[in-house]
Amino acid sequence: MPAHLVLSLNSSVLGEFALDKERITIGRKPDNDIHVDNLAVSGQHCAIITILNDSFLEDLDSTNGTFVNGKLVKKHALKNGDIVSIGKHELKYVNDEASDEEDFEKTMVIRPGMASHAAAAAKAGVSESEAGGAGAPVSGVASAAAEFKSPSESDLPLGKIQVLSGPGAGKQLELRKALITLGRPGIQVAVITRRPHGYFITHVEGAHPIVNGVEIGNQAHPLQNHDVVELASVKMEFFVDG
């Protein structure tokens, strides 16, 4: 069964909602994908962004906050069984195919001047601490998530990102993984996904990314050779080998 949310109130199930779109909004206004009619819930309270088999929760500056397993969050990588609380309502995240918790923890931080080192570490599949980036502030191009590449993607030309501005200008990152996170957590975050039919960039947190001078929407935006992406005050160029 695909990933879905189970909405409940006082242990009574009110409905189940499939995460069948890349972005699903939850809130009190009736135009949300999941409508929760309660005064403790903001008009647009939070959103779920689903990329491949993984889902990310983002609080949309709600009045009363969004909690996961009792902890207040702004952005959270959901794991099977997580309980999202908004007001008195609960949403249980169910996804038997979600990536393991260890996968999410195997991230690397690319600091200014360290992009090539982190890219090399990514190729080797080492963790953030092994790459020497543990505890470092995220201040340039950000983190690379675990690899979920399928055999059908093997013929896709390899995509790369070259940083055009900031301290890391000139550095390159190979997009070998199926999901790469870029930006600065808490400020502006997007993901680039590698799919059988190309590379796509999707908004996750903060302002929407800008591609070739135009702000992209909420849906996945296909990347073309030599597109210029602006994210978290950094300009970078996407290109493919060959």
Side-chain angles (χ1 to χ4, degrees), residues 155-160 172 199 225-226 238-242:
D155 295 332
L156 183 69
L158 178 63
K160 296 181 180 180
Q172 291 186 6
Y199 288 87
N225 200 22
H226 301 300
F238 169 82
F239 63 97
V240 293
D241 281 344

Side-chain angles (χ1 to χ4, degrees), residues 83-129:
I83 302 296
V84 179
S85 301
I86 57 173
K88 295 182 179 180
H89 287 73
E90 291 186 344
L91 291 147
K92 182 177 181 180
Y93 176 68
V94 181
N95 185 2
D96 294 332
E97 298 181 358
S99 303
D100 293 337
E101 183 173 354
E102 290 181 358
D103 288 336
F104 283 107
E105 293 176 349
K106 291 177 181 176
T107 59
M108 287 146 295
V109 175
I110 300 175
R111 295 171 292 178
M114 292 294 289
S116 58
H117 170 70
K123 283 193 252 183
V126 301
S127 68
E128 175 181 334
S129 58

Side-chain angles (χ1 to χ4, degrees), residues 107-110 128 138 140-145 173 179-183 185 190:
T107 59
M108 287 146 295
V109 175
I110 300 175
E128 175 181 334
V138 180
V141 183
S143 60
L173 173 66
L179 188 151
I180 304 290
T181 306
L182 300 173

